[in-house]
Amino acid sequence: MSGAVEVATAEELRTALSGGGKILLTADIDATASFEILADTIFDGGGHTIDGQDQTHLFHGRMVEMTIQNVTLRGGNNQVSDDEHFSQRSGAALRISGGNGTTDGPAQGALTVIDVKFEDNRTKTTGPGDIRGGALYVFNLPDTTISGSTFTGNRGSNGGAIGGLGSSLSIIDSVFAANSTNGAGPGGALEGHGGAISLDAVSQNAQTAYLNICGSRFDGNEARNGGGAIYLVTHAWTGTEVTIDQSLFIGQRTTSDSEGQGGAIFLMDDDKHEQPDNPVANRAQISNTTFNDNEVYNRGGGVWFWTNDGRLDVRNVTFADNRTREADGMGGALAISNGPATVSHCTFADNHAQFHGGGIQMSGTAVVTMTNTLFSNN
């Protein structure tokens, strides 16, 4: 990276971040305090590691454009006081805010993450508000792109690896392994959702409304309550688009013995908010993807979906050996609890529900149209 300011110590990095621009790290850093991003920055870690030593969160910034690449962020521990807003208590390795959504005016800023390793970062288990993102958290941020990155062993009250509110994300060619929730409360307590990713109201930044995942692997992530890998609640009639393509979900779990939906993915359109003036139906599509060996307590060993206004399209997807644990568990592979769905060119094999719907379970107003699909030994 030409023209970069080279830094080798925590003090040098802190000074460079105050002015922004291009920064190149030339040595490992053991951090004892967090680093604030005060201006638009391109930060290249040079293959080095910044370690929070389980003492401090690492990077945070607001209303800036941040690119971070080629670095390992390890051992971040967000211990910000409970007196502060929940968004500041989220994200132990990296937290970017697009503003408060009110007095700050329109959301500003963006985040690009390239070839970054997030390892063993964590948030508090509980606290006032909805704490998310053991490693990374985005708040009211219109655009976040993550590519070629790995998230391993991170823990968050919700979203073991990534958390977000009012923020849209694209995730490409990345790996999420052995991330988990550390929130121990019941589902209604805003804890324990999304072993790898927990997002709410991606449209709330009033500029973008999407979650795109392509070419990524989710392996052995765990949530206490809903969404062993991904937990996403969207606002209805906001035109939100969710696409998951060419990805693998293997060995996700929900661990509660009293509740839980979506062994790998929990996806819900929340219709309790006021309908916008120009309503546009939400759309979710899962394609060219495999769900294998995922497990949930209640419904949807692979995927659980609920909508009033949108729809789910599942195309060229394999569901194999997914299951429910509860005696009344339904939808060993796929549970559609409300709304329309299409299933085409898919395979359901060796899935198991304790009660009914070994392959697919439908309830409420669910209407599922299936074409060119194989069911074997469910």
Side-chain angles (χ1 to χ4, degrees), residues 282-323:
N282 295 348
R283 183 179 69 89
Q285 182 179 72
I286 303 173
S287 57
N288 308 307
T289 289
T290 295
F291 294 87
N292 177 241
D293 188 30
N294 303 290
E295 182 177 289
V296 73
Y297 177 74
N298 182 239
R299 296 188 183 185
V303 177
W304 181 86
F305 179 75
W306 190 101
T307 186
N308 259 345
D309 76 289
R311 67 176 301 106
L312 172 67
D313 295 315
V314 183
R315 182 179 180 86
N316 196 27
V317 173
T318 297
F319 294 89
D321 194 26
N322 305 285
R323 57 199 165 274

Side-chain angles (χ1 to χ4, degrees), residues 162-337:
I162 295 176
L165 174 62
S167 302
S168 295
L169 293 91
S170 290
I171 300 170
I172 306 153
D173 189 27
S174 294
V175 176
F176 297 80
N179 303 286
S180 60
T181 62
N182 56 13
L190 297 178
E191 297 176 11
H193 299 294
I197 299 171
S198 178
L199 303 175
D200 189 11
V202 296
S203 62
Q204 202 163 292
N205 64 78
Q207 298 177 49
T208 62
Y210 64 84
L211 171 63
N212 299 323
I213 298 174
C214 182
S216 295
R217 179 185 177 102
F218 295 79
D219 195 342
N221 302 287
E222 289 188 353
R224 174 175 173 78
N225 297 311
I230 298 172
Y231 180 91
L232 172 61
V233 177
T234 64
H235 286 181
W237 295 112
T238 54
T240 298
E241 294 200 0
V242 177
T243 62
I244 298 171
D245 186 44
Q246 300 178 66
S247 295
L248 174 64
F249 295 82
I250 183 168
Q252 324 302 311
R253 299 285 187 275
T254 65
T255 59
S256 170
D257 287 329
S258 61
E259 61 181 305
Q261 296 155 318
I265 297 176
F266 176 111
L267 179 56
M268 177 180 179
D269 289 336
D270 183 356
D271 63 353
K272 295 182 175 65
H273 298 266
E274 185 176 347
Q275 185 170 308
D277 293 336
N278 298 305
V280 179
N282 295 348
R283 183 179 69 89
Q285 182 179 72
I286 303 173
S287 57
N288 308 307
T289 289
T290 295
F291 294 87
N292 177 241
D293 188 30
N294 303 290
E295 182 177 289
V296 73
Y297 177 74
N298 182 239
R299 296 188 183 185
V303 177
W304 181 86
F305 179 75
W306 190 101
T307 186
N308 259 345
D309 76 289
R311 67 176 301 106
L312 172 67
D313 295 315
V314 183
R315 182 179 180 86
N316 196 27
V317 173
T318 297
F319 294 89
D321 194 26
N322 305 285
R323 57 199 165 274
T324 68
R325 294 195 311 276
E326 185 191 18
D328 293 332
M330 308 180 202
L334 174 62
I336 311 294
S337 287

